Amino acid sequence: MRAARTLRSRGAAVVAPLLAPLLVAQLVAQLVVLSAAVPAAADSVKLPAVRSSLAADEPCTPASAEHASGLPWALAALGHTRSLTLSQGAGVTVAVVDTGVSTAVSGLSGRVTALAGAGVDCVGHGTFAAGLIAGAGEAGGGPAGLAPQARILAVRGTDERGNGSVARVADGIRAAADAGVSVIYVSVALASGKEQLTEAVEYASRKDALVVAPLAPDALPKDRATGELVRPQPWYWPAAVPGVLAVSDYGPDGGRPDNAPVVAGADLAAPGDSVVGLGARGTGDFIGSGASLAAAHVAGAAALVRARHPEMSAVEVSRQLTEAAYPAAPPRLDPYAALTAVLAEGPGAAPRAAKAVVPAAVSAEPRERALVVAGVGAGVLLLVAGLAVVVPRGRARGWRPAG
C-alpha cells in the first residue's frame, strides 16, 4: 500500500550484496516452479471461465462439469504447502465484498456467514474468490485456498448481476468493518468514487481492518461507438486510496495477458491469470484471470499472517507482506517469507557526523602560579647552595672576618 512504501528500510542497500546469491537461487527456483506449472495451466483450459458479471437477461452461471486435478500452478508458485505448516488462517475472518458467496459450496462448508442476502451468488465470482482465499481443497488435489481454516464474511459489493457501484462498495467496506473482520477483500476496481471510498477505507482502518483490492479491472470495456477497448484510467478505486494493498496479477509464465490493463502503482503482484477455483453451484471447477483474483490470493496471505501474528496491526501486516515479498517490479507475494521474516523496527536513518567539540580557552592563572612557585623554589635552592659553601668556611675561621 502507499503508506507501506514509506516504511521500507533504507538499509536494504547495505545488505543487498549479501543477499544477491540467495535472490538468484530463489529466482531460479521460482522459474523452475513456473515452467513446470505451465502444462498444468494449459490442461485447465477446458474448464469453464468464471464471469465477473452477467447480462440482465442471462441466467445464473450453471455448475461446471469439469474437475481440475493436481496442485494448481498458483499454489505451487506461492509455496502453499510450506505456508500451511506455519499458519492456516484459523481464527481470522476475511470479508469478501463481491457478487456474494454461496454457502452451499463444500470447500467452504460451515465457514461462510452472509450479510443481507449475500449468501447467494448468481454470477459465481465471489464464490470463486472466496475459494482462493479459504477453500479447503480436496484430497486428490485441485483448487484450494491459501488460508483453509479462515472464515468468510460474504458482503455484496455489486448487484445480483455483478455490476459494482461506488455506493455498494463503500457500504460493503463499512459493513465488513463493523462486523469486526481482520481482512477486507474488494473485487471491483472503479474509475470514480475517490471521496466515498476513501472515507470507507479510513473507517475500516480505524477498526484495524486491512483492505485488499485489485489495481485495475480484470478487463477493459469496449467503446460502444468505435468497438475499441477503452483506455485505462491512471488509477482506480478503492486501490488508489492510501492504506489499501493494491494488487496486480501475473500468469504461469511470469507475464500478463496481452489485453490486460496496464496501470502503474501496484504494491504487490500475485498469481491471477489461469487460476483454478470453485464454482457457486455443484462440485466442478472454473478457471479465471485478472487482478481481482490476484487480490484474493493476497487477502488469503494476509489471513495467514494475521492468524500467526495476532499482535500485528493492519499496517504492520501490510508492511510484512510487501517488505518480505520477492524483489521484483512490483514485488511478488511470498506468503512463507511473510510468515517468517523479522523486519527492522522502522526505516533506517542516514548517519550524522559528530559535532566538533572546541575546548574552552586555557586560563593563564595556573601558569603564572607555577612560575612563581618555580621562582621561589629556585631561590630557595640557590640560598641552600650558598649556605652550603659559606657555613663550613665560617666555622673554620671561627666566624672571624676574612683577612
Side-chain angles (χ1 to χ4, degrees):
M1 67 185 199
R2 308 304 182 276
R5 289 196 193 108
T6 64
L7 295 174
R8 296 185 187 278
S9 175
R10 298 172 185 166
V14 177
V15 299
L18 301 177
L19 294 178
L22 178 61
L23 297 180
V24 171
Q26 187 177 358
L27 176 59
V28 171
Q30 186 179 38
L31 292 175
V32 169
V33 170
L34 292 177
S35 62
V38 171
D43 292 342
S44 299
V45 172
K46 63 182 180 180
L47 297 174
V50 66
R51 303 273 297 278
S52 59
S53 63
L54 300 173
D57 56 350
E58 282 187 277
C60 292
T61 302
S64 169
E66 304 294 337
H67 295 268
S69 60
L71 184 67
W73 80 265
L75 295 181
L78 294 173
H80 178 58
T81 54
R82 288 203 308 165
S83 298
L84 292 183
T85 63
L86 301 175
S87 176
Q88 298 191 27
V92 174
T93 300
V94 180
V96 175
V97 183
D98 203 335
T99 60
V101 178
S102 175
T103 57
V105 177
S106 60
L108 298 169
S109 180
R111 292 184 291 121
V112 179
T113 302
L115 298 181
V120 177
D121 184 10
C122 181
V123 179
H125 190 279
T127 304
F128 190 98
L132 297 181
I133 295 169
E138 301 293 340
L146 286 183
Q149 291 184 7
R151 295 189 60 84
I152 296 294
L153 177 70
V155 183
R156 197 172 293 283
T158 71
D159 62 18
E160 294 183 359
R161 302 280 96 187
N163 301 306
S165 68
V166 172
R168 285 182 179 274
V169 173
D171 289 345
I173 292 173
R174 288 177 177 273
D178 285 337
V181 302
S182 299
V183 182
I184 301 175
Y185 160 77
V186 179
S187 69
V188 298
L190 301 168
S192 61
K194 174 181 178 180
E195 183 177 349
Q196 284 180 265
L197 293 174
T198 297
E199 291 177 354
V201 169
E202 290 175 348
Y203 182 82
S205 297
R206 289 194 294 271
K207 292 181 175 290
D208 197 35
L210 175 61
V211 180
V212 182
L215 178 71
D218 292 344
L220 295 173
K222 289 186 177 180
D223 187 286
R224 293 183 179 180
T226 64
E228 297 180 354
L229 293 178
V230 175
R231 292 174 61 87
Q233 298 292 320
W235 47 73
Y236 291 88
W237 311 95
V241 177
V244 175
L245 263 180
V247 184
S248 184
D249 55 307
Y250 66 87
D253 61 353
R256 303 184 68 220
D258 294 337
N259 61 347
V262 179
V263 179
D267 297 304
L268 278 174
D273 302 323
S274 300
V275 296
V276 179
L278 307 173
R281 279 159 285 282
T283 58
D285 302 321
F286 287 77
I287 190 170
S289 293
S292 68
L293 306 182
H297 279 130
V298 173
L304 294 179
V305 176
R306 298 218 80 164
R308 182 171 171 82
H309 299 289
E311 76 284 357
M312 285 188 177
S313 66
V315 172
E316 291 170 331
V317 171
S318 179
R319 179 176 176 240
Q320 193 78 10
L321 291 168
T322 54
E323 293 200 11
Y326 182 82
R332 296 198 169 186
L333 176 67
D334 188 340
Y336 185 81
L339 290 168
T340 56
V342 178
L343 305 181
E345 291 295 328
R352 295 182 178 180
K355 294 181 179 180
V357 178
V358 179
V362 178
S363 174
E365 182 179 351
R367 180 174 177 271
E368 293 172 355
R369 186 184 300 114
L371 290 174
V372 171
V373 172
V376 172
V380 171
L381 288 175
L382 291 174
L383 177 61
V384 171
L387 290 175
V389 174
V390 172
V391 169
R393 291 183 177 181
R395 285 179 178 175
R397 292 193 300 269
W399 301 107
R400 294 188 299 273

